[in-house]
Amino acid sequence: ELSTLGLRQRVNTLHPSPVIRKLQPYQRARIWRYLRDAMGLSYYTEIGTIIANVDNEIGGHLRVKEIYESFEVYKEIANFIVATQRTLQSLQSTTSNTTTTENITYPKVEKIVELACGHGLVGLL
């Protein structure tokens, strides 16, 4: 995906200097498409509009690298939570069918605390 956009890169990452406002229309359209695809068609459909408005509000300094990194981290966290919830549900259904007297309950993931983000976008997502 990234290699076809012609964005400035370092050895194996995007260079931090490209900002959304200075991209060519095709590049911006691809980024909006990535945002939509990253969040899914029916979940958080307004994310493209929010990112565009943020970019306008801060004077065009929204960095492409930060957007991609934040969304990729968000997807990893979301996938981890979904997998954890499925595992917990599986464990609960397995323990409810046993004849032991132990009452085992597994807590749901209800809160995530983000500690390692400078701009807070992952936490907002």
Side-chain angles (χ1 to χ4, degrees):
E1 174 76 23
L2 291 175
S3 62
T4 64
L5 287 177
L7 296 171
R8 195 167 161 208
Q9 295 191 1
R10 292 183 185 175
V11 175
N12 60 355
T13 64
L14 283 174
H15 196 278
S17 63
V19 292
I20 289 178
R21 181 168 288 176
K22 292 185 179 179
L23 297 178
Q24 298 297 317
Y26 172 76
Q27 293 171 315
R28 275 195 304 261
R30 292 285 301 272
I31 289 173
W32 301 141
R33 172 69 185 264
Y34 164 78
L35 296 177
R36 188 192 75 195
D37 291 349
M39 297 306 284
L41 293 176
S42 61
Y43 179 74
Y44 214 172
T45 56
E46 65 275 9
I47 194 66
T49 303
I50 292 170
I51 297 296
N53 287 338
V54 168
D55 189 46
N56 287 332
E57 285 295 319
I58 64 170
H61 299 290
L62 191 58
R63 297 183 187 283
V64 175
K65 182 177 185 285
E66 301 298 330
I67 295 294
Y68 275 105
E69 286 176 349
S70 296
F71 275 78
E72 289 302 313
V73 167
Y74 169 80
K75 287 183 348 184
E76 289 293 323
I77 292 168
N79 289 337
F80 173 78
I81 291 170
V82 168
T84 300
Q85 296 293 18
R86 287 183 181 154
T87 300
L88 293 176
Q89 287 173 353
S90 174
L91 288 172
Q92 283 182 322
S93 67
T94 301
T95 57
S96 66
N97 294 331
T98 62
T99 57
T100 63
T101 58
E102 295 179 38
N103 187 9
I104 301 172
T105 58
Y106 300 96
K108 283 182 76 171
V109 176
E110 295 180 359
K111 183 189 325 182
I112 299 170
V113 179
E114 180 188 17
L115 300 174
C117 186
H119 48 71
L121 180 56
V122 175
L124 292 172
L125 294 173

